[in-house]
Amino acid sequence: MKGYVFHGPGQSAWEEIPDPSVKDATDAIVRVDAVTICGTDLHILKGDVPEVRPGTVLGHEAVGEIVEVGGDVRTVRPGERVLVSCISACGRCRYCRESMYGQCRGGGGWILGHLIDGTQAEYVRVPYADLSVHALPGAVDSKDAVLLADIFPTSYEVGVLNGRVRPGDTVVVVGAGPIGLAAIATARLFAPERIVAVDLAASRLDAAKQLGADAVADAGESPEQLIADLTDGLGGDVVVEAVGVPESFELCTRMVRPGGHVANIGVHGRPATLHLEDLWIKNVTITTGLVDTYSTPTLLRMAAAGRLPTSQLVTHTFPLEQMEEAYDVFARAADTGALKVVLGDPQHDVVAVRPV
């Protein structure tokens, strides 16, 4: 088969690789029908995630069909259409028992496209399949479902839920890329008074408005002043960092109100300064997190009910073999306007069920 292989910082290729096979009794082999590219993949290519060894197939999000399962797999079977989660869960360790699957100590966590071969290939081996893939409702299209493998649970859990968004809040989202836009969409579920998006790209600020932002601010034009004006000088109740650079994190800490929450989602490759000389007196809560994907079943039900604007985030589609072109388009988002790119053949038949 073919897959997209990381060969070191700045080096990758779509090339022939061995077919995956069942190694453990809890494995499933999935034929990939739709896959996407994450900002974390770009961090890997830059060398920001040194744990990824050269020779690793990238990718941690996919939709596909089960073609083979190990002898201990009970919840899915060959022929089923499934969502491959970005997080694998052994289900037995302390963290899995507490639904903190991202911190799994039994061989799971974020392993696909990180510690083992990932999903940007024609087939993928998924460990711990019973907890790491989800059967898909027929009503959810594959190109929409693939966004529930990572960005929606990440934004919802690490941004909105960790940030404790509540009705009437002022929510500020710094970074209107896919993760930030999904944070805007899911923050709306909690009826905040206003959501403000901050970004450098006008196209992404326009997308933020379409997904529910009440106001937008250019990151280069003192967004702190806008937040102060909107909140009578208090600051945002919840400020979500969705970029992953020191400047954006420090901006978030300047815009949060006393007693507020800074929820960091961004993947940071460089140190950021924590200005405790200003923050120690403000009762500010700062949270970080790797997604656990405990919310994926809920999000799937919401997507099936038409409650999540997944389709609005998909701006480009490609055949699977155009992976290198898709990476180029996604990496140059400021020029191409790319939000999420989906590769593969994401079509499926929906069977209509008539009432008896």
Side-chain angles (χ1 to χ4, degrees):
M1 70 169 188
K2 286 193 172 182
Y4 194 66
V5 181
F6 172 73
H7 291 293
Q11 302 175 60
S12 56
W14 176 254
E15 60 189 48
E16 292 282 348
I17 54 175
D19 292 344
S21 60
V22 170
K23 294 183 178 179
D24 300 307
T26 56
D27 288 352
I29 305 299
V30 177
R31 186 197 70 220
V32 174
D33 295 330
V35 69
T36 186
I37 302 170
C38 179
T40 304
D41 297 321
L42 300 183
H43 281 281
I44 292 170
L45 289 176
K46 290 177 183 177
D48 290 343
V49 189
E51 300 85 3
V52 181
R53 296 180 179 179
T56 301
V57 176
L58 296 184
H60 49 264
E61 309 156 89
V63 168
E65 182 181 311
I66 301 281
V67 296
E68 185 180 358
V69 296
D72 289 347
V73 176
R74 296 290 181 266
T75 61
V76 291
R77 61 191 181 200
E80 283 195 81
R81 179 171 160 265
V82 296
L83 170 70
V84 178
S85 176
C86 66
I87 298 295
S88 303
C90 79
R92 297 179 179 180
C93 71
R94 171 180 174 176
Y95 287 111
C96 285
R97 288 177 178 271
E98 296 175 359
S99 297
M100 296 176 64
Y101 307 124
Q103 303 301 325
C104 175
R105 290 298 182 266
W110 174 35
I111 55 175
L112 291 172
H114 180 209
L115 305 179
I116 67 172
D117 285 340
T119 59
Q120 291 172 3
E122 294 175 320
Y123 293 85
V124 59
R125 178 179 74 92
V126 183
Y128 304 117
D130 279 335
L131 284 174
S132 306
V133 302
H134 301 267
L136 283 175
V140 181
D141 191 84
S142 295
K143 69 179 175 58
D144 297 329
V146 75
L147 302 191
L148 302 181
D150 185 356
I151 68 164
F152 269 90
T154 294
S155 299
Y156 183 55
E157 295 175 18
V158 184
V160 175
L161 297 184
N162 281 3
R164 305 281 182 90
V165 175
R166 297 178 298 180
D169 278 354
T170 292
V171 178
V172 185
V173 178
V174 178
I179 287 287
L181 293 173
I184 290 168
T186 50
R188 290 185 65 196
L189 302 172
F190 291 84
E193 179 181 1
R194 62 175 68 89
I195 301 174
V196 184
V198 180
D199 202 285
L200 287 168
S203 61
R204 293 195 166 190
L205 293 177
D206 289 339
K209 292 178 186 176
Q210 294 173 18
L211 283 162
D214 301 287
V216 298
D218 188 313
E221 297 181 2
S222 300
E224 301 104 308
Q225 187 59 54
L226 172 63
I227 303 305
D229 292 343
L230 290 172
T231 60
D232 295 325
L234 287 179
D237 298 286
V238 181
V239 185
V240 176
E241 199 284 336
V243 181
V245 297
E247 295 80 8
S248 61
F249 175 78
E250 293 172 34
L251 173 63
C252 290
T253 63
R254 294 196 300 271
M255 292 193 294
V256 67
R257 69 165 173 83
H261 289 74
V262 174
N264 183 88
I265 307 177
V267 177
H268 289 263
R270 293 182 288 137
T273 301
L274 181 61
H275 289 283
L276 286 177
E277 73 277 11
D278 298 322
L279 295 171
W280 74 270
I281 201 171
K282 293 184 178 180
N283 293 24
V284 170
T285 299
I286 298 175
T287 57
T288 65
L290 174 67
V291 64
D292 293 308
T293 65
Y294 63 82
S295 68
T296 302
T298 298
L299 294 171
L300 277 170
R301 291 195 301 272
M302 294 178 65
R307 301 297 179 88
L308 293 178
T310 49
S311 296
Q312 292 176 248
L313 274 75
V314 178
T315 54
H316 296 74
T317 58
F318 298 88
L320 199 59
E321 62 270 17
Q322 291 183 12
M323 187 69 69
E324 293 175 351
E325 180 181 346
Y327 258 91
D328 177 65
V329 168
F330 185 64
R332 295 187 300 106
D335 299 321
T336 63
L339 294 175
K340 289 297 283 185
V341 301
V342 173
L343 299 99
D345 181 12
Q347 301 301 317
H348 74 282
D349 295 327
V350 178
V351 178
V353 178
R354 295 184 180 181
V356 178

